[in-house]
Amino acid sequence: MTTQFTDDAQAMSLVAFCAVVTITLLLCVMTGPDRDDLDEFYTGYGSLSAMRNGLAIGGDYISAATVLGTTGVIALYGYDGIVLALSTALSLMLLMFLLAEPLRNAGRFTMGDALARRMPGRSVRITACAVTIAALLPLMLVQLAGTGQLMAFLLGFSGDELKTGCIIGVGALMISYAAIGGMKGTALIQILKMVMLLGSGAVVAVLVLSKFDWNPGALFDTAAEQSGVGSAFLNSGLQFAGGPHPGLDMISSQLAVVLGGACLPHVTMRMYTANSARQVRRSMSWAVSTVVLFVLVITVVGFGATALIGRAVIAGADPQGNTAYLLGSQAAFGAEVSTAETLLFTTVTTAIFLTLLASVAGMILACANSLAHDVFATRVRELSGRREMMVARLSALAVGAPAILLATMVQHRSLQPLVTLSFCIGASAIAPALVYSLFWRRYTRTGLLSTLIGGSLVVLLMMPGTNLVSGSPFSAFPDSDFNWFPFTTTGLVSIPAGFLFGWLGTVVSGRRKAEEQRRQYEAVEGWILAGAVRRQG
């Protein structure tokens, strides 16, 4: 089985990429705010139906790291990959049942709004903005760096200059999407992405199953035979077998995904686009359904890639398995590829390319909104809507330009530590802050700042010591070894630490502050939890 793509597939992919860029830019221009209205730019007036908003939430949640990375883990590690995929779906379900409606009721535009509703002040908003950027910047680097690698893999070039050019060009497009389209424009791109991703992925999954007589058991057994590790492929522990504590390492990783994935700010900002509590529930139902369907698709495609071409070929193309989704799609067509199958493969590659575009555009928008609304707008009391929107658009450039520069610098490194860093900050700082702020009556400003700052610092201090950064052939610095933390992620320590910092900060604030916060919370408790009224400001 060759990992090279035909000239027809490469030519069609390039044409499709250009078409997607043109169409999505037109969508942003046509649907972007045509007047200086903050509600239109930040939330799109909540004009999306529950189904479209749910698809947009699912689109923001499923990043290129999920499409390529999770499929790669499934193809290389079997059962452990399925657990990771299910944890991804579980994370969004927890957001739906626990946080979605209170978040929509408490917030207006950004996560800073939701946190500052009970504890107003610039310190809370600035800290929320800093944590938003710290959590999303690593993921942005992964998507941007992946753009150059994806284009090189599909179009058959290997020059570093061309890869860097792809990163810069696509990065400029992503900044344009966020600055021009605002919330509604990026939402339509996310919807288009989900339709293409689910549609093409479902067809590929059907083709894979057809090669095994529609028997999932035969697919799994063949994948285990082709994995080179036998029955271990279908049992827990293969991914973390090289570590000193594989069981705890797996628990730590799953905690980071489950608690951190859906709490990242580019996902939670979609809660504010719903115009009622009922709509946010219906939107989340659509989002969870699409994510669960996508998990089924990548499970079949990941196992199909291993069964059809072998684990060694996948690892040879990319040690992290990031090309497994594409290789599995290619293998599903067989040796003789018809014009229709070439067209379908082009749809698959275009969907992944659109996933890269949409994911970073959503992250840039979340960071830009937080910078403009939480930092600059609160500094100037009489900042007009026109000026705040201009600041938001400039903030998109201020966030996107450094991200592009950093992505060109890290593109030759293993990017898995950056993905893990984002999820760990989400699980260790943002998740505790949201849970405490929305549900704990006595939670104080000191407790909130302690959670956000303390949880983030623990992750940032511990992450360099994990084996994803050094000490293994697949780490970011394979020639160095400053690994001192025996786990892949920091979740086992940093998540309890984030909750502990919040509790300690509240205790240190004193009983009087805690009682004040309790009275303030009880005054708005029914509104936050039941959402009878959507307050402005």
Side-chain angles (χ1 to χ4, degrees):
M1 172 69 192
T2 176
T3 59
Q4 297 298 314
F5 302 104
T6 64
D7 292 339
D8 287 343
Q10 291 178 348
M12 289 183 67
S13 294
L14 186 58
V15 171
F17 292 169
C18 294
V20 162
V21 168
T22 304
I23 292 170
T24 49
L25 271 177
L26 283 174
L27 280 175
C28 283
V29 172
M30 293 171 62
T31 60
D34 56 1
R35 59 187 183 274
D36 300 323
D37 191 310
L38 292 179
D39 278 285
E40 187 177 12
F41 184 80
Y42 285 131
T43 67
Y45 280 136
S47 58
L48 294 177
S49 66
M51 182 184 73
R52 289 188 292 170
N53 198 36
L55 287 172
I57 293 170
D60 263 317
Y61 187 65
I62 296 177
S63 65
T66 306
V67 178
L68 302 178
T70 304
T71 308
V73 174
I74 292 172
L76 294 179
Y77 303 109
Y79 178 88
D80 288 350
I82 294 179
V83 173
L84 175 61
L86 292 176
S87 298
T88 303
L90 177 60
S91 180
L92 199 61
M93 292 178 68
L94 284 179
L95 175 64
M96 178 176 74
F97 289 116
L98 185 63
L99 297 178
E101 189 176 338
L103 260 177
R104 177 258 165 202
N105 297 332
R108 184 186 179 193
F109 296 149
T110 66
M111 184 178 71
D113 283 337
L115 296 176
R117 183 65 70 184
R118 287 178 57 195
M119 307 161 203
R122 291 200 71 224
S123 60
V124 170
R125 289 185 177 274
I126 291 174
T127 304
C129 178
V131 173
T132 294
I133 295 174
L136 295 184
L137 182 60
L139 266 184
M140 278 190 266
L141 299 184
V142 173
Q143 319 287 325
L144 285 167
T147 299
Q149 296 173 1
L150 175 68
M151 298 290 278
F153 184 72
L154 288 175
L155 304 181
F157 63 80
S158 57
D160 290 341
E161 295 81 3
L162 288 174
K163 292 181 182 179
T164 301
C166 289
I167 292 173
I168 295 172
V170 174
L173 281 172
M174 296 168 184
I175 295 172
S176 301
Y177 291 157
I180 297 172
M183 184 65 76
K184 192 172 182 180
T186 55
L188 291 179
I189 297 173
Q190 298 289 7
I191 293 168
L192 178 61
K193 153 194 161 179
M194 285 303 297
V195 171
M196 291 185 65
L197 200 59
L198 285 174
S200 60
V203 174
V204 171
V206 168
L207 290 175
V208 169
L209 286 174
S210 69
K211 291 183 176 295
F212 297 92
D213 298 324
W214 310 101
N215 184 355
L219 169 63
F220 292 166
D221 290 340
T222 305
E225 293 173 6
Q226 294 296 318
S227 68
V229 294
S231 60
F233 191 73
L234 300 179
N235 293 312
S236 175
L238 181 60
Q239 183 180 6
F240 306 99
H245 309 288
L248 287 176
D249 205 357
M250 186 172 186
I251 292 172
S252 179
S253 297
Q254 304 315 316
L255 278 175
V257 172
V258 171
L259 296 180
C263 289
L264 292 174
H266 70 297
V267 179
T268 59
M269 75 173 181
R270 291 286 171 193
M271 304 302 108
Y272 313 129
T273 61
N275 56 26
S276 67
R278 178 173 180 268
Q279 190 186 39
V280 78
R281 291 193 295 269
R282 294 179 61 200
S283 297
M284 288 303 300
S285 297
W286 277 102
V288 170
S289 300
T290 56
V291 169
V292 169
L293 177 59
F294 184 72
V295 164
L296 294 175
V297 167
I298 62 174
T299 298
V300 173
V301 175
F303 271 88
T306 305
L308 294 173
I309 64 176
R311 186 168 177 256
V313 174
I314 296 171
D318 186 329
Q320 305 296 323
N322 289 328
T323 57
Y325 190 87
L326 291 168
L327 293 177
S329 301
Q330 183 191 27
F333 303 139
E336 297 295 328
V337 181
S338 66
T339 303
E341 289 173 331
T342 301
L343 182 60
L344 175 59
F345 182 75
T346 302
T347 306
V348 172
T349 59
T350 306
I352 295 176
F353 179 67
L354 188 56
T355 299
L356 288 165
L357 291 175
S359 297
V360 178
M363 294 173 197
I364 289 176
L365 182 64
C367 293
N369 289 356
S370 187
L371 266 176
H373 187 67
D374 293 329
V375 177
F376 294 107
T378 56
R379 184 176 182 181
V380 182
R381 292 185 179 180
E382 300 300 328
L383 188 64
S384 65
R386 178 187 294 271
R387 291 186 63 189
E388 183 172 340
M389 192 177 297
M390 179 60 67
V391 169
R393 285 170 167 157
L394 292 175
S395 297
L397 179 62
V399 171
I404 293 171
L405 177 62
L406 290 172
T408 62
M409 297 169 63
V410 303
Q411 60 178 313
H412 303 298
R413 301 279 183 185
S414 170
L415 301 177
Q416 186 59 39
L418 294 176
V419 178
T420 304
L421 177 62
S422 287
F423 280 94
C424 286
I425 290 178
S428 306
I430 298 175
L434 291 177
V435 170
Y436 279 155
S437 295
L438 296 173
F439 302 110
W440 188 13
R441 292 181 174 86
R442 290 182 171 83
Y443 195 43
T444 65
R445 178 183 283 104
T446 303
L448 174 59
L449 295 176
S450 299
T451 303
L452 291 173
I453 298 172
S456 299
L457 284 178
V458 170
V459 174
L460 292 173
L461 291 174
M462 296 184 67
M463 195 67 207
T466 64
N467 55 24
L468 287 179
V469 178
S470 70
S472 71
F474 307 120
S475 61
F477 299 94
D479 298 326
S480 303
D481 189 0
F482 40 88
N483 169 226
W484 57 268
F485 189 63
F487 300 110
T488 303
T489 70
T490 66
L492 210 59
V493 174
S494 60
I495 294 173
F499 283 96
L500 179 62
F501 280 130
W503 177 79
L504 285 175
T506 299
V507 170
V508 169
S509 300
R511 184 179 296 275
R512 184 174 63 84
K513 284 285 186 183
E515 284 301 314
E516 287 179 5
Q517 285 299 324
R518 181 184 64 80
R519 288 192 295 271
Q520 292 177 14
Y521 180 82
E522 288 176 348
V524 296
E525 182 176 15
W527 158 58
I528 290 177
L529 299 182
V533 178
R534 178 71 177 271
R535 295 192 178 183
Q536 301 296 316

